[in-house]
Amino acid sequence: MTTAPAPGPAAPAPGAAAPAPEAAAPASGAAPASGTTAPGTASGTTAPTPAPGTVPAAPAPASVVLAVIPARGGSKGVPAKNLAPVAGVPLVGRAVHACLGARPVTHVVVSTDDPAIAAAARAAGAEAVHRPAEIAGDTATSEAAVLHALDAFEATHGRTADVVLLVQCTSPFLTPAEIAETADRVLSGAADTAFTAAPSHGFLWRETADGAEGVNHDKAHRPRRQDREPEYLETGAVYAMAAPGFRTHRHRFFGRTALVATDPARVLEIDDPHDLARAKALAPLLDAPVTPGFADVDAVVLDFDGTQTDDRVHLDAEGREFVSAHRGDGLGIAALRRAGLPVLILSTEQNAVVAARARKLRIPVLHGIDRKDRALKEWCEAEGIDPQRVLYAGNDVNDLPCFHLVGWPVAVSSAHDSVRAAARAVTATPGGAGAVREIAAWLLGPELDTPVRADAARTTPARTTTEP
């Protein structure tokens, strides 16, 4: 990430309004309003040693940094946009995870009028605040949502926020480091407001009645890129505001404003289905490689053809089918069973080969399934397993409905491009060459020797189940 140099501490902007009355004299023990105490004091500056015989002063309370994520249920461009998954995680969940990973952030609140978004926010680790209808329509401003969430937070927690962040979940590749740096510009006293922006050396034009004119350049002069100072495009991803000033001005920009330069390659704002498709395609390239661990998964569900095989079929003269399976996959599945993880084979094909392989591995199988997602949901309900705690491994487009249902959609490296784009993790190994063994190693370690989990009694019985 390219980082703009932090401006030095600023004097109050001329004409800036005084802090709101409630912030002028904080109650004893309350967090100080931004600017009333040097924020650096709360972030690790060592206080002077008290003189012998004196009572040490109470330590300054840590700054309260509240991240607010507005996420309405209604969206005309992309229906249910804020719940749309990118790399297997809803957009609102990605925003919550980025905020929770940002060092200065102390609380994360999602402002929404939609119960499903509220549930997804809580599942990701945020608080949810119900947004009233009068500030949840198409014409409602983000500032109105942030002010409402700020009031709700302070009423619930009995503390005032020092810095409030506006974080948009339509920016799927926002990083915790960018959020932290934006908050730090305000916490440090260097600025009253801050925002993320992408540097640009592009030549901008506008159309006029007399033809095209240069906006940021003289069209008769074409300097080299390296000879031009960059301009900055507001990304819309995150804004930081000193909370008392935000209450006074009721706008995200006031006083001195700082920008935080971000990597232009990561800038994408989702407004229509094409943006969402680009985000899903870019996720494997831009997201940090993430694979699940043992504590993240309660069950493993495996496609068969192309996942446990190389997707080829051998036929003899009588039309009997033969496939190749990898012994390492069998070893991995056996280790998962020993560790207490239920394992299921779920296949579209009605095939004796699939049933025979399941009997060999001593795991259940559902095959000849037209709606794999419905079968998976019913199996999870019967087993008492949350689908968001399921790892599903597949390779082709008939696996995508299951990808949208589970928390850990995994594609083998030989999977179709659209499947790899929708996956939260991708194996380095192709299907039929030990991809399942690789997944088992993610969960159990390379030696496959993780101790049996506490709920091992729930292990799926060694049986083979078939459906027509």
Side-chain angles (χ1 to χ4, degrees), residues 280-464:
K280 291 182 176 182
L282 287 170
L285 301 176
L286 296 180
D287 284 351
V290 176
T291 56
F294 189 60
D296 301 317
V297 172
D298 286 342
V300 175
V301 179
L302 304 169
D303 174 46
F304 189 73
D305 293 313
T307 300
Q308 298 182 62
T309 76
D310 60 6
D311 219 16
R312 296 187 299 170
V313 177
H314 305 279
L315 301 173
D316 67 10
E318 278 71 44
R320 290 175 297 189
E321 295 186 359
F322 300 87
V323 298
S324 297
H326 197 277
R327 289 192 181 276
D329 287 348
L331 184 68
I333 289 172
L336 293 172
R337 286 196 301 104
R338 286 197 304 271
L341 278 174
V343 183
L344 171 72
I345 295 176
L346 185 57
S347 177
T348 303
E349 292 288 330
Q350 175 73 45
N351 196 320
V353 173
V354 182
R357 182 61 175 164
R359 284 194 299 271
K360 171 75 172 178
L361 298 172
R362 296 193 297 150
I363 58 175
V365 58
L366 298 174
H367 62 133
I369 303 297
D370 291 329
R371 283 283 307 276
K372 295 175 77 172
D373 57 334
R374 183 170 61 191
L376 176 57
K377 185 175 181 179
E378 291 172 353
W379 182 79
C380 287
E381 289 175 352
E383 297 292 329
I385 297 171
D386 180 356
Q388 289 298 304
R389 301 274 304 170
V390 171
L391 183 154
Y392 181 95
N395 76 301
D396 217 328
V397 292
N398 61 341
D399 295 308
L400 289 176
C402 291
F403 271 33
H404 301 152
L405 179 65
V406 304
W408 279 101
V410 173
V412 296
S413 67
S414 52
H416 188 273
D417 288 348
S418 63
V419 177
R420 285 188 285 110
R424 190 174 177 184
V426 179
T427 66
T429 312
V436 178
R437 168 65 170 80
E438 180 182 339
I439 291 169
W442 293 350
L443 304 180
L444 306 177
E447 304 302 321
L448 304 179
D449 57 1
T450 297
V452 175
R453 61 195 299 140
D455 57 350
R458 195 185 63 187
T459 304
T460 305
R463 56 184 168 84
T464 299

Side-chain angles (χ1 to χ4, degrees), residues 165-363:
L165 305 177
L166 164 59
V167 179
Q168 303 281 19
C169 50
T170 49
S171 295
F173 302 116
L174 176 65
T175 67
E178 290 166 341
I179 297 172
E181 189 172 354
T182 308
D184 281 339
R185 295 298 174 86
V186 178
L187 276 172
S188 68
D192 301 293
T193 61
F195 67 103
T196 52
S200 170
H201 291 84
F203 292 107
L204 297 181
W205 293 79
R206 70 163 63 92
E207 283 192 311
T208 71
D210 297 324
E213 291 183 353
V215 173
N216 61 347
H217 67 287
D218 179 353
K219 65 181 182 180
H221 178 56
R222 306 287 292 183
R224 299 178 305 165
R225 181 182 188 279
Q226 57 266 41
D227 295 332
R228 299 181 63 223
E229 289 295 323
E231 283 141 338
Y232 292 87
L233 174 68
E234 186 177 331
T235 69
V238 59
Y239 304 84
M241 296 82 72
F246 179 64
R247 283 194 176 282
T248 298
H249 294 275
R250 308 178 75 82
H251 192 271
R252 70 189 74 179
F253 295 118
F254 54 87
R256 177 167 178 156
T257 298
L259 64 82
V260 173
T262 64
D263 182 357
R266 302 185 65 85
V267 176
L268 174 61
E269 197 165 7
I270 296 178
D271 292 319
D272 59 43
H274 301 292
D275 297 329
L276 181 60
R278 282 195 293 272
K280 291 182 176 182
L282 287 170
L285 301 176
L286 296 180
D287 284 351
V290 176
T291 56
F294 189 60
D296 301 317
V297 172
D298 286 342
V300 175
V301 179
L302 304 169
D303 174 46
F304 189 73
D305 293 313
T307 300
Q308 298 182 62
T309 76
D310 60 6
D311 219 16
R312 296 187 299 170
V313 177
H314 305 279
L315 301 173
D316 67 10
E318 278 71 44
R320 290 175 297 189
E321 295 186 359
F322 300 87
V323 298
S324 297
H326 197 277
R327 289 192 181 276
D329 287 348
L331 184 68
I333 289 172
L336 293 172
R337 286 196 301 104
R338 286 197 304 271
L341 278 174
V343 183
L344 171 72
I345 295 176
L346 185 57
S347 177
T348 303
E349 292 288 330
Q350 175 73 45
N351 196 320
V353 173
V354 182
R357 182 61 175 164
R359 284 194 299 271
K360 171 75 172 178
L361 298 172
R362 296 193 297 150
I363 58 175

